[in-house]
Amino acid sequence: MNTLQKVGGAAASTAAGTFVFGILLALTRLNDYVSTDDPAVAVPLLVENEQTLILWNIVITIVFGIVMVPLTIALRDRVTHERAGQLARVALVFGLLWAGVIIAAGMVIGVGLSTVSSLASTDAEGAQQLWRAVDTVGNGLGGGNEVIGAVWVIAASLAAWVGRALPRWICAIGILAGIPGLVTVVPGFADAGAAFGVAMIVWFSLVGIALWYLRPAHERAPAAAPLASTSA
């Protein structure tokens, strides 16, 4: 099998792992931090959990954004069907765009965490104002709005469905996973991002297995044609 397909499979599995890591940490040690929008509460928690937050941010943004690149390309290369080709190119653009936006969010948040932590000891009010700005920008780029990722997974799944690049039941899961992600663009529906995240863990995991072990339909050996009878 193409090496890029295996790299894409490993990338998909890694992407699933970053989602699991991020969700588990958000539900446990960082639950109080991620649950508040009050700067007066968030800044002390940030200072207390700075190293954990830095690691969390690196995994869910930088690592995720990096592995999205080979995964997106591997899925695009897997689709050769003419009708699916244009849709696959659209998915490629949105996948790379999502990777770039998430990495950008991680860079902003990473610098912001350190700056807020340093400022907190000398200017509590300034630290709170800066936290508000960093949190708004970070959520705007990634986490608070999942529309780019939702468009990507829907487009990639539709292209794979038409091009028979993945089992259709996996494609169906991808299409369904994208719906709550699209909903997050509506003010007041940011919580739908949690459903998007859980569904994406399932989809990434299945895609990782498929890219590693399954050939796309166009590479599978066709059934042998029956031998024509010959006259004596």
Side-chain angles (χ1 to χ4, degrees), residues 164 217 219-227:
R164 300 175 63 200
E219 291 184 1
R220 297 171 195 160
L227 296 175

Side-chain angles (χ1 to χ4, degrees), residues 19 23 64 98 102 143 145-154 173-184 189-204:
F19 270 55
I23 291 173
F64 175 75
W98 194 25
I102 293 296
N145 187 326
E146 303 286 4
V147 65
I148 298 177
V151 172
W152 170 71
V153 70
I154 290 172
I173 292 174
I175 295 167
L176 293 174
I179 295 173
L182 290 177
V183 173
T184 62
F189 285 85
D191 289 346
F196 174 74
V198 172
M200 288 300 292
I201 291 173
V202 176
W203 188 80
F204 278 132

Side-chain angles (χ1 to χ4, degrees), residues 58-81:
I58 289 173
V59 171
I60 67 174
T61 61
I62 307 299
V63 174
F64 175 75
I66 289 173
V67 300
M68 270 294 299
V69 174
L71 171 58
T72 301
I73 295 172
L75 287 174
R76 167 64 188 92
D77 287 357
R78 200 173 175 90
V79 177
T80 59
H81 193 286

Side-chain angles (χ1 to χ4, degrees), residues 50-132:
E50 181 180 1
Q51 297 306 314
T52 303
L53 282 166
I54 290 173
L55 175 62
W56 185 60
N57 178 62
I58 289 173
V59 171
I60 67 174
T61 61
I62 307 299
V63 174
F64 175 75
I66 289 173
V67 300
M68 270 294 299
V69 174
L71 171 58
T72 301
I73 295 172
L75 287 174
R76 167 64 188 92
D77 287 357
R78 200 173 175 90
V79 177
T80 59
H81 193 286
E82 183 177 354
R83 288 188 300 166
Q86 292 184 349
L87 187 55
R89 287 192 288 274
V90 170
L92 175 66
V93 172
F94 274 96
L96 296 178
L97 179 61
W98 194 25
V101 167
I102 293 296
I103 291 174
M107 294 169 67
V108 169
I109 294 170
V111 173
L113 288 172
S114 298
T115 305
V116 170
S117 179
S118 299
L119 189 60
S121 60
T122 58
D123 184 0
E125 184 177 349
Q128 292 173 21
Q129 292 175 353
L130 178 58
W131 178 87
R132 176 72 76 185

